[in-house]
Amino acid sequence: MQPLEPRRDSRMLFQSSNSSRRTEEAEAVHRSGAIPPRPIFHASAVTGTATSSPLHQTFFRDILISLLLFLLISEWLHPLAWMADTSIESGPILVVFALCIAIDCFKVPYAWGWTAKGVLILLFVGFMFDRETFVTGAWVIDLVGTLAQDVGHLMQAHFDLISGELRTLLFLLGWSLLISVIQALMLQRQHSLWFVAATLIYLVVLQLVFGADTVQGIMRTIGYGLLLLALLNLSRIEQTYGVASVRPGSTFRWVAVSAAIVGVLAAGAWYSTKQAEPEPLMKPVSWAYMSDRLFELYNEETHAGGTVAKSGYGQNDTSLGGPLQVDTTPVFTAKTSELTYWRGESKNVYDGKGWTQSNQTLESYATPVPTGSGRPVTQEVLWSDKSPNKQLFLGGNLLGVDSLLTEKGKPLSPDILLKASLSGKVTLPEIADPLSYYKITVQPVKEDPTLLNSDMGAYPPEITGDYLQLPATLPRSVRSMAEQITANRLTPYAKAVAIEQYLSNTYTYSLEKPTAPSRSEDFVSHFLFVDKTGYCDHFSTSMVVMLRSVGVPARWVKGFAPGTLQSADSGADLLQEVLVRNSDAHSWVEVYFPSMGWVPFEPTPGFSGISSDHPRETLTTAAMEQSAMTASLMNIPLPGKFTANSSEWLQATKHTVIDYAQTNRNHLIMLLGSLLVLAAVVLLLKRKGFLVNAALVPFYKNGLNNPHPMIPYMDRLWLQLFRKYGGKPKDQTVRDYVTALSFKHQGQKQALLNFAIIYESIRYDAANSSHYTKREIVAIWKAIQKTH
């Protein structure tokens, strides 16, 4: 196109001698041909010297930029296989994208290039959906028929009936067009930072919101971005500092040095992560938890007179979580020939908040036939005066009932007992008086690790139906963690042991530190990824949910820990006396195995689980006392101002910040609103041209009277040029700056030179340039943009 000339008469543009002298210099420079039409990447025009093999170096640069673009595109596709319900083959898609990038890199003519891309996409669709007839070519006819049907569905707005072939075709066409635009911006305009930033934001959002592990992708993207910036900013560095690439292979050395620096930075980051604690660098954001905390800022009665739940055995387990206050009130005193857990009942339905039992039908108790090799255990329970109860707590499978006494001392027949077949709960009818004493015989479950580890039998339908249930809202991150923990475990028993040990060794026990999940937050996810500390309900529920997510039937069990040992070997029966308190209330896990039935597991740290229910080792008196002490933690010290444990320090800091925000919430809201208003005003003034950064405009002179209204607007246009081609030295005029630049199109230089002449005219001779309007300047600027 022809260079655009200013509308005003040339006499008005050369009123001052200064403007006339600069115009003559510019024309002389233009006639002399000192500025060859070279690509922007080269800086020979700045120094007056010629670079070596410019075409070769430019092609080498384009190949490297295209390769880095392909690597960035691959980071967008890798997480799709994790997010999708079914497996996505990203390999063939990346092959198609690589060929499309290569076509644009080798500058294939537009028509031929897009024809080749279209053929590639069609071949890919045929290969993915009809591999059996792909070689023969019969898939072409089927594809045409399918696309014709899809056109009919589109005409009738039946979008749900559109075939996978058309969806894939549109997906690939859209991505190919986007990649072509991005590649053109990188190769021609040298713009890459925005795409690198978009990739980082995409990966960070997947990590924080959806729980995908994109840390490695984020690190790779940062490396690709640094290399891209090194390649695309070489020309700007040459133009800004007057450095020319005159030596052969200078571009190669620049790339090699940049790659070495990026490699050193990546190695340092990798080494730092290896030295850190084995915890994820980023945790998923709990948006519901944040909304609840923000809601509390407006609630004047938050935590005002609030009560903390106390430890103890309760009937309602629908809402778990939050801190617990230790209650040491005695519940019952027992004598037992073997220390055991006191089982109350199990529950099978988890809804994301707590547990319920799907079928609570009670049937008359019938004496079972003893099974297994475990020897019977005799147990006597004497209830406290303050804790009357109708439910029996057992140390194993109930074999017989020797005695039942009510709180009035009335004996009861064992036939009056009722038992729930699913939960194992044994209780008296509602009309009966509470119990004060009972004596029973039980048979604890004796675990055989060798037998269990070889148990690969099929599960009965009633087991899979009731004990593999999970809520539809269970976060995928929970399932992913369970899959990673059990990845190399082949049997259900090995998976159960792996999850049990992982929870016990990774997370900490605490009654006071756990926080309550938000209204829409999953209890297990909150424990695993937010709090990372809790008590038995957290550990047992997490183990059951994680086992179910990998296909192992499990159920949640509650009752009491063995209690505090009072005396041993008392009387002729060699019974051990224990005192069970509310602080001993406990929950654990039972896993189903076809060969043995339900086997208990103990994931909670501090509870060894070594008893008749968990006979992995011999329980000693010292171990029992340590377990009881751990189970009855009275005082959990809060972290001080400084602590060696970083997680405790962060937890204390979080509570301090929340308390401060709640105390000064009105002032914080006013401050935040004022900052937002101030930012909006500054942005508006800057867009209107009232605020111009003098440091970024080297020719802007403080104190100069500039009455022309177009000067701030043109200053912003100059800023765009400086960001693209580098800043202007202070001892250089704008026309000298434009003349020193190297452009691919000569018309672009002439249009920019005219723009500079107009700028100098209205800036230094505003009295004779007042008739220039913003519309005319915008037209000239658009003409400059069209010459790219």
Side-chain angles (χ1 to χ4, degrees):
M1 62 176 291
Q2 295 296 328
L4 198 68
E5 297 292 341
R7 191 193 67 170
R8 301 294 308 272
D9 188 81
S10 61
R11 291 176 297 178
M12 183 173 297
L13 299 178
F14 304 101
Q15 291 292 330
S16 64
S17 60
N18 185 28
S19 299
S20 178
R21 178 181 60 80
R22 291 172 178 165
T23 304
E24 291 173 358
E25 291 176 356
E27 291 176 354
V29 171
H30 179 65
R31 288 194 302 269
S32 65
I35 309 300
R38 295 182 182 272
I40 297 174
F41 182 73
H42 304 290
S44 57
V46 179
T47 61
T49 59
T51 60
S52 60
S53 304
L55 181 60
H56 182 267
Q57 294 190 18
T58 302
F59 183 66
F60 174 70
R61 180 207 67 156
D62 291 349
I63 291 178
L64 289 180
I65 293 176
S66 300
L67 176 61
L68 292 172
L69 171 62
F70 171 74
L71 294 176
L72 287 173
I73 294 296
S74 66
E75 298 298 338
W76 285 77
L77 293 181
H78 287 324
L80 294 181
W82 181 89
M83 296 176 62
D85 295 333
T86 58
S87 177
I88 290 182
E89 298 184 33
S90 59
I93 299 178
L94 288 175
V95 171
V96 174
F97 290 165
L99 293 175
C100 293
I101 291 175
I103 290 173
D104 289 338
C105 179
F106 287 95
K107 296 181 173 58
V108 177
Y110 187 83
W112 288 104
W114 274 102
T115 301
K117 293 178 184 179
V119 172
L120 284 173
I121 293 174
L122 289 176
L123 289 175
F124 171 82
V125 173
F127 175 77
M128 294 300 296
F129 288 90
D130 204 351
R131 299 187 182 184
E132 296 180 356
T133 61
F134 180 76
V135 178
T136 62
W139 60 272
V140 177
I141 299 176
D142 296 337
L143 180 61
V144 172
T146 301
L147 295 179
Q149 293 179 357
D150 291 334
V151 171
H153 295 325
L154 290 174
M155 298 285 292
Q156 300 174 5
H158 294 163
F159 302 110
D160 56 325
L161 300 179
I162 296 176
S163 65
E165 288 89 338
L166 181 59
R167 296 176 189 271
T168 305
L169 183 65
L170 296 177
F171 171 80
L172 293 176
L173 284 175
W175 267 92
S176 300
L177 180 60
L178 177 63
I179 292 173
S180 179
V181 173
I182 296 172
Q183 190 173 6
L185 290 174
M186 289 185 176
L187 297 180
Q188 300 177 18
R189 299 292 186 88
Q190 303 180 9
H191 292 169
S192 65
L193 186 59
W194 67 272
F195 185 65
V196 175
T199 306
L200 287 174
I201 294 174
Y202 166 73
L203 296 176
V204 170
V205 168
L206 290 181
Q207 175 85 21
L208 296 180
V209 179
F210 300 100
D213 185 9
T214 60
V215 174
Q216 297 296 328
I218 292 173
M219 297 178 66
R220 289 193 298 266
T221 301
I222 293 175
Y224 303 152
L226 292 175
L227 290 176
L228 269 175
L229 292 177
L231 283 171
L232 298 179
N233 283 281
L234 178 58
S235 61
R236 297 191 180 102
I237 294 174
E238 292 173 344
Q239 293 178 5
T240 302
Y241 298 100
V243 179
S245 302
V246 295
R247 296 182 180 181
S250 58
T251 303
F252 299 94
R253 284 191 293 272
W254 173 268
V255 173
V257 172
S258 301
I261 295 175
V262 173
V264 170
L265 295 176
W270 178 83
Y271 179 78
S272 300
T273 55
K274 288 297 182 181
Q275 298 301 315
E277 296 181 357
E279 293 186 1
L281 298 180
M282 292 186 293
K283 298 185 297 184
V285 176
S286 175
W287 302 108
Y289 179 80
M290 294 176 62
S291 65
D292 282 1
R293 301 292 81 77
L294 291 175
F295 177 78
E296 289 179 358
L297 296 178
Y298 293 91
N299 189 356
E300 297 289 345
E301 298 180 358
T302 300
H303 301 302
T307 59
V308 179
K310 293 184 179 182
S311 59
Y313 187 92
Q315 300 298 328
N316 188 353
D317 305 298
T318 57
S319 181
L320 303 178
L324 280 182
Q325 181 180 355
V326 176
D327 182 6
T328 58
T329 304
V331 179
F332 60 83
T333 301
K335 291 183 179 182
T336 176
S337 58
E338 184 177 322
L339 294 175
T340 66
Y341 277 21
W342 302 94
R343 188 186 190 280
E345 62 177 318
S346 67
K347 295 189 176 181
N348 65 339
V349 178
Y350 174 71
D351 61 359
K353 293 298 181 183
W355 291 97
T356 56
Q357 179 61 43
S358 59
N359 186 357
Q360 284 284 22
T361 302
L362 296 175
E363 301 175 353
S364 297
Y365 168 75
T367 303
V369 178
T371 59
S373 58
R375 65 183 181 88
V377 174
T378 301
Q379 295 181 328
E380 299 180 39
V381 173
L382 178 63
W383 285 96
S384 169
D385 294 338
K386 298 181 179 179
S387 304
N389 202 299
K390 297 182 180 181
Q391 182 178 352
L392 275 64
F393 290 87
L394 319 170
N397 296 323
L398 183 60
L399 296 181
V401 180
D402 298 328
S403 177
L404 294 174
L405 293 177
T406 67
E407 61 180 350
K408 298 179 181 179
K410 178 182 178 181
L412 297 175
S413 171
D415 297 335
I416 197 175
L417 290 176
L418 301 175
K419 182 178 180 180
S421 58
L422 290 180
S423 67
K425 181 178 182 180
V426 179
T427 184
L428 295 177
E430 291 292 335
I431 59 175
D433 294 331
L435 287 171
S436 63
Y437 169 85
Y438 61 85
K439 182 178 180 180
I440 56 176
T441 303
V442 298
Q443 184 181 39
V445 177
K446 295 296 183 180
E447 177 181 330
D448 186 349
T450 303
L451 176 62
L452 293 178
N453 199 36
S454 61
D455 191 346
M456 298 288 290
Y459 297 116
E462 60 271 14
I463 295 297
T464 57
D466 288 335
Y467 300 106
L468 289 178
Q469 172 272 335
L470 287 173
T473 57
L474 181 71
R476 186 180 178 87
S477 55
V478 176
R479 189 185 304 272
S480 299
M481 175 179 284
E483 292 172 350
Q484 293 175 9
I485 297 171
T486 61
N488 299 322
R489 308 302 175 106
L490 302 180
T491 65
Y493 179 76
K495 293 179 180 180
V497 173
I499 294 178
E500 178 190 47
Q501 294 178 350
Y502 177 83
L503 292 173
S504 179
N505 297 331
T506 306
Y507 298 90
T508 58
Y509 184 89
S510 174
L511 293 175
E512 296 181 357
K513 293 180 182 179
T515 60
S518 63
R519 293 182 296 273
S520 58
E521 189 176 17
D522 184 84
F523 171 75
V524 172
S525 177
H526 182 79
F527 165 66
L528 294 177
F529 301 107
V530 180
D531 275 352
K532 295 188 176 182
T533 184
Y535 40 89
C536 56
D537 290 346
H538 297 82
F539 289 89
S540 57
T541 301
S542 298
M543 182 173 177
V544 173
V545 170
M546 295 172 76
L547 282 173
R548 291 184 177 186
S549 66
V550 293
V552 179
R555 63 187 182 185
W556 185 73
V557 187
K558 65 176 185 174
F560 290 94
T564 305
L565 190 63
Q566 302 296 306
S567 62
D569 300 336
S570 62
D573 296 332
L574 301 180
L575 297 178
Q576 303 178 74
E577 183 177 344
V578 293
L579 177 62
V580 178
R581 306 173 183 270
N582 279 324
S583 56
D584 294 314
H586 190 51
S587 61
W588 59 96
V589 179
E590 289 180 350
V591 183
Y592 184 82
F593 298 95
S595 61
M596 294 190 65
W598 294 102
V599 177
F601 283 80
E602 178 58 272
T604 306
F607 291 80
S608 62
I610 304 169
S611 65
S612 296
D613 285 339
H614 304 269
R616 292 176 184 162
E617 297 178 20
T618 303
L619 182 63
T620 63
T621 303
M624 185 62 236
E625 292 175 351
Q626 178 66 26
S627 177
M629 180 185 67
T630 307
S632 305
L633 291 175
M634 294 296 297
N635 296 310
I636 300 178
L638 294 176
K641 185 175 183 181
F642 297 100
T643 176
N645 192 331
S646 59
S647 62
E648 290 185 0
W649 181 84
L650 291 175
Q651 190 79 359
T653 304
K654 182 189 74 171
H655 290 302
T656 302
V657 172
I658 292 177
D659 292 340
Y660 179 82
Q662 291 174 349
T663 305
N664 304 276
R665 57 182 176 273
N666 295 330
H667 297 88
L668 291 176
I669 293 173
M670 293 180 60
L671 178 61
L672 180 61
S674 301
L675 291 176
L676 292 176
V677 172
L678 180 61
V681 171
V682 171
L683 181 62
L684 179 62
L685 292 177
K686 197 167 185 178
R687 291 181 62 87
K688 293 297 183 179
F690 294 102
L691 296 178
V692 179
N693 192 346
L696 297 178
V697 187
F699 52 83
Y700 192 94
K701 297 181 180 179
N702 295 328
L704 183 65
N705 186 17
N706 297 308
H708 201 286
M710 289 295 102
I711 290 177
Y713 175 73
M714 297 189 74
D715 284 344
R716 294 200 303 273
L717 298 181
W718 280 114
L719 283 176
Q720 297 183 29
L721 289 173
F722 295 156
R723 294 191 190 101
K724 183 174 182 180
Y725 301 120
K728 181 186 74 64
K730 295 182 179 180
D731 57 350
Q732 196 177 40
T733 65
V734 289
R735 268 189 287 172
D736 294 336
Y737 171 80
V738 173
T739 304
L741 295 178
S742 177
F743 301 99
K744 185 178 295 186
H745 302 286
Q746 189 62 28
Q748 185 180 11
K749 178 181 287 296
Q750 186 60 42
L752 280 175
L753 189 59
N754 292 337
F755 185 80
I757 293 172
I758 294 175
Y759 179 79
E760 290 182 342
S761 175
I762 66 175
R763 186 171 187 83
Y764 301 105
D765 195 12
N768 298 312
S769 303
S770 59
H771 295 291
Y772 276 102
T773 63
K774 184 176 181 180
R775 180 179 299 177
E776 294 170 349
I777 296 175
V778 170
I780 297 174
W781 183 255
K782 289 182 178 180
I784 295 173
Q785 299 298 102
K786 291 180 181 179
T787 57
H788 281 252

